[in-house]
Amino acid sequence: MTELQQIEQQLQENNLAEALAAADRYLAAHPDSAEAHFLRGKIYWRQGNRSAATTDYATAASLDPASSAVEALALARSVADFFNPDIFNP
């Protein structure tokens, strides 16, 4: 099993702290890995850190325009742009 597969498995098992630590270590050694940025973005998203997730999705999308990160980035930006006046103005 590759390091990225291990990170993906930890993410699937909801071991977010371990997955994030492993992703950070992997990216320290492989900063141009679109897949690792995408995985770390997914971890951040699950943790509720939307800004960091969006940044990682954008990095992954710029490194690999065919990556699934392109769709994740669009969805993350859509969530960020959502505005419902009924929620914010009771």
Side-chain angles (χ1 to χ4, degrees), residues 6-63:
Q6 289 173 352
I7 295 167
E8 180 72 37
Q9 182 177 353
Q10 290 172 332
L11 176 61
Q12 289 174 1
E13 294 172 356
N14 212 34
N15 296 327
L16 301 180
E18 293 91 2
L20 181 59
D24 286 342
R25 283 191 305 273
Y26 188 86
L27 281 165
H30 307 92
D32 293 333
S33 172
E35 186 177 357
H37 280 284
F38 178 52
L39 281 173
R40 189 171 69 176
K42 288 168 53 174
I43 296 163
Y44 281 138
W45 191 267
R46 283 250 193 104
Q47 290 179 327
N49 189 343
R50 305 295 193 238
S51 177
T54 302
T55 299
D56 269 338
Y57 292 156
T59 301
S62 69
L63 290 168

Side-chain angles (χ1 to χ4, degrees), residues 64-83:
D64 180 5
S67 167
S68 298
V70 174
E71 184 177 344
L73 177 60
L75 291 172
R77 287 181 174 161
S78 176
V79 168
D81 291 341
F82 177 76
F83 176 76

